Structure formats: structure tokens, C-alpha cells
Amino acid sequence: MTQDSEAAIAAKVSRRFKSGWLRGYAKAKLSRDPVYAAVYERLQASPRPLFDIGCGIGLLAFYLRERGFDQPIVGIDSDSEKIAAARDAADGHYGEVRFATGDACAPLEGFRGNVAILDVVHYFNAAGQQQLLSNAEQHVAPGGMVIIRECPRDGSLRYRATYAEEWFATSIGWLKVPMLNFPTRDEIAAVFREKGYAEEVSPLWGRTPFNNHLFVFRRGE
């Protein structure tokens, strides 16, 4: 997909938001952050629905719809204001997309499919992280996958830059989270290795200074 096409999607989605600040945020994220295209590349041929844990204002769902991914999408987030913004943006524009305020560690009754967890794991303590990842694993259908974007704790300059950026976002109130606790690669993968998932890990920092990586765990059929 060309950079112009990505810019067109970013502009189209951003216009769905009522707030000028959110329009600017959505346009910047969708045009610059490589995670949305990376998730689409993994999901584009999947016949399974998507559970987006920590969906924020719904950007992943909207991007996927604009790229032609038409499976049902359910997004949950603990921030009710972001969920309200996501619902308003989706209303009348994107079918079979549902957003709800909810606990990332709580089961979604009856759901089996694919799961996305983008930039969420590091907001939990060690026990909470394993609960979150175990919850995600229980929602994966045979042949499905869990896609995680996370900054592994490795002491690198990129890691320190990521920590500083996240600290700033919490200090101004954009991120309403109790802590920052970045996991190691092994801590992210442990639950899925125990269950025999295939594992793919690749850098996903694009043109940013951050230590973002994409983790894809695939369940056998």
C-alpha cells in the first residue's frame, strides 16, 4: 500500500471524530504508525472475528474496515471517554463493529477468533500481565492468532525513549493507567509457548525512536 493511500485512510477516519484534538491525533497515528498495516497484513485473509483488547478510540477497527477487513470486531477499553468517542466515530459508518467499556482481563462471553493487544501489556503488574495474556489465549479459535505490539524491557536506548514517552502520556492524563511495567520478551511469550503456539517476533518501530516489536502467536488448527 502506498504512502498516499495510507494518508487517505488517515484523513477519512480522522473526519469521523467530533473533537478537533481527536481528529488530529487519529490522523497522525494512522499516517505514521506502522502497526495498523502490520496487523492488517496478518489478518487480511482470516475468516475469524477480532477481539481488540485496549482498543482506545477504535483506530485499529476503523483502519481494518477501510482496508476491506469485514469480519466482526469487538473492542474493549477501561477508558469510558475513549469508548464513547469510538462509538460516535463508528456510528453510521462501520458495520459489525462494537465497542464497550470493560476489563482487559475479563472473558468476552462466547468469543473465539483472533485477538489484538496493542500497547497495553505494560500497564499491568507482573501478575496482571499473565492474567491478561492468559485471557487473550482463551479467546483464540483453532487456527487463530494473538497479535501484540509491545516494547520489551531490554535496557536499550529505544526502550528508555519508549518509557519516557509513555510516562509523559500518563502525566498529562491521556493514558489513565496505574503504572508502567514493561515486560521482557520471555514474559510476553510464556503463556503461548506453554500452549504450543507458533511464534513470530519482529521490530516495528518504523521511523520512531521507540522499542516497539510485533509479537504474533498462532494457534494450530
Side-chain angles (χ1 to χ4, degrees), residues 43-57:
L43 292 179
Q44 59 180 317
S46 176
R48 301 170 184 85
L50 176 66
F51 182 19
D52 184 6
I53 299 178
C55 64
I57 61 173

Side-chain angles (χ1 to χ4, degrees), residues 87-133:
R87 287 172 172 168
D88 284 345
D91 189 30
H93 302 292
Y94 301 107
E96 289 197 88
V97 175
R98 179 166 63 90
F99 299 106
T101 304
D103 181 353
C105 296
L108 181 62
E109 189 67 31
F111 183 91
R112 291 294 182 276
N114 300 308
V115 181
I117 313 175
L118 307 184
D119 307 322
V120 174
V121 179
H122 59 273
Y123 300 139
F124 292 82
N125 62 25
Q129 289 176 0
Q130 294 310 303
Q131 185 178 357
L132 166 64
L133 296 169

